[in-house]
Amino acid sequence: MSFGFVPAVLGVLGLAALAAVLFALHRLRVRHQQVEVETTLFWRQAIEESRARVRTQRFRHPLTYALLLLICGLLWLSFAGLRADGAAGRRHLVLLDGSAGMAHGGRFARAAEAAADYAAGLPDDARTVVLCGAGAQTLLRPGEEALLLTRRLEGVAPAAAPSSVARVLLDHVRSRAPAPTTVCVVGDALLLDAERALLPEWVELRWLPAPPRAGANAGITALGARPAASGRWDAVDVLVEVLVPGGAAESLASPQVSVGDRAWTAAPVVEAVAGGRRFRYLDVPARGELLRAAVPSGDALPLDDVATFALPDRQPIAVAVQPGVPAVVRQAIEADPGLVLDDAGARVVVRPVGGGAVGGD
């Protein structure tokens, strides 16, 4: 337990002060009031009442005192911001989906409000809120006030890109020291089984789904690349996932894909998924160019009909080998698809111990 708005010591002392003040009020002497009566029939009762008003007499109303202490204590705890911290050292990461699919109607605004409400109940020094659109944008850092999140969300809108929640989550986990972490995903983003398998056991996942979409919509929900299954170093395999409403997935045509200023005409490998299709484009040259994928538009949300992705630059590295280097080193370089022997344009020079470097970086 801790207090969000006051120090812990002040919170406890405040409760003790309330108990003492209420106790003193219950023990205060009641001021006597002189009243003239016409008869002595009630004299004995008046004497008993006067005795009850003596400060040193027995505590007369313990239940009333307990009720007042409960009411005042709850008001104080609310003012002090009492909260349950859970396990010591637990971190909290809130990922707000800012992909194109969230732009349908007021879905993003409602999801952002839900994320702000959820973050407001987390420990200030252990929470991080990140917007996952085309890239990652940190909206709230540990130690910052929750009010800053509301202000920073003003004017923020979804990006014309697939969700980056999975990539942001994996990057965050890899860059942090192991510690119990609760990750709350707000929006449409879902993690594939392969992505879940990469998460360490100290990560706990929670979901706050976005409001459902009104009307039919088809769009690109995932776009990414991985090393080519063929083993080519200078190429990658590209995945484009398209979801469509109803049973229209059967008639879904392949997306139009271009690399740089060139159209990619090779037929993709098609895989059926729930509600759509996955298209895998094999051996796409990885030269740092921009890949663009597009599906036919004309539905309720055109923003997710086009998505772009910067391909990695995986050109082979030129290596020069000086005389005197063991032959096994040259053989290892020749066997590596990411390296090429080139003495003239070498970026890396391998030399024997004590030898002088020539050329290269």
Side-chain angles (χ1 to χ4, degrees), residues 46 58 77-78 95 120 162 261 307 359:
R58 182 176 59 87
L77 294 178
S78 176
L95 300 178
D261 56 356

Side-chain angles (χ1 to χ4, degrees), residues 22-342:
L22 291 176
F23 182 83
L25 291 176
H26 271 68
R27 301 288 284 172
L28 284 178
R29 187 191 304 273
V30 179
R31 180 177 298 177
H32 293 278
Q33 181 179 2
Q34 295 183 357
V35 179
E36 295 183 2
V37 296
E38 302 296 337
T39 177
T40 60
L41 294 177
F42 304 105
W43 188 253
R44 182 179 298 278
Q45 181 179 355
I47 294 176
E48 293 296 332
E49 289 293 332
S50 65
R51 290 177 180 173
R53 295 187 179 95
V54 177
R55 182 180 300 178
T56 57
Q57 287 294 315
R58 182 176 59 87
F59 202 62
R60 299 182 60 206
H61 303 290
L63 294 180
T64 303
Y65 171 76
L67 180 60
L68 288 175
L69 180 59
L70 175 62
I71 295 174
C72 294
L74 290 177
L75 291 175
W76 169 251
L77 294 178
S78 176
F79 169 78
L82 179 67
R83 64 194 178 194
D85 290 342
R90 176 168 290 274
R91 298 189 298 238
H92 298 269
L93 175 63
V94 183
L95 300 178
L96 176 59
D97 186 6
S99 60
M102 296 295 295
H104 195 280
R107 302 177 74 240
F108 180 77
R110 295 171 63 182
E113 182 179 356
D117 292 341
Y118 178 82
L122 300 175
D124 297 351
D125 57 349
R127 66 186 175 195
T128 304
V129 181
V130 180
L131 173 65
C132 303
Q137 178 183 354
T138 302
L139 300 177
L140 191 66
R141 294 176 175 83
E144 294 183 328
E145 294 292 337
L147 183 60
L148 292 175
L149 176 60
T150 304
R151 294 179 177 175
R152 289 168 180 170
L153 283 170
E154 297 177 357
V156 175
S163 174
S164 60
V165 166
R167 174 171 53 83
V168 173
L169 173 56
L170 293 175
D171 290 344
H172 181 89
V173 169
R174 292 164 181 164
S175 62
R176 299 295 191 277
T181 303
T182 298
V183 179
C184 181
V185 180
V186 185
D188 293 336
L190 296 175
L191 268 65
L192 302 177
D193 293 339
E195 295 167 339
R196 287 174 178 265
L198 297 176
L199 295 177
E201 59 182 8
W202 43 266
V203 173
E204 175 190 5
L205 283 176
R206 295 182 179 178
W207 304 92
L208 286 179
R213 303 181 183 183
N217 176 69
I220 300 174
T221 57
L223 177 63
R226 68 178 184 182
S230 63
R232 285 184 52 185
W233 169 261
D234 60 344
V236 293
D237 293 343
V238 175
L239 168 69
V240 182
E241 183 181 83
V242 182
L243 297 184
V244 295
E250 298 295 337
S251 58
L252 181 63
S254 300
Q256 298 177 354
V257 175
S258 61
V259 179
D261 56 356
R262 311 179 308 278
W264 187 258
T265 57
V269 177
V270 183
E271 176 185 355
V273 295
R277 290 286 187 272
R278 285 180 184 162
F279 303 89
R280 300 185 185 273
Y281 298 86
L282 307 180
D283 292 337
V284 179
R287 302 171 184 170
E289 298 174 297
L290 190 67
L291 182 140
R292 181 180 184 273
V295 296
S297 58
D299 52 22
L301 182 62
L303 188 63
D304 60 357
D305 295 337
V306 178
T308 58
F309 177 76
L311 293 170
D313 189 355
R314 296 173 59 87
Q315 299 183 37
I317 300 175
V319 180
V321 179
Q322 291 187 352
V325 175
V328 66
V329 175
R330 178 181 293 272
Q331 295 172 1
I333 295 175
E334 293 175 343
D336 192 328
L339 304 176
V340 59
L341 292 171
D342 185 357

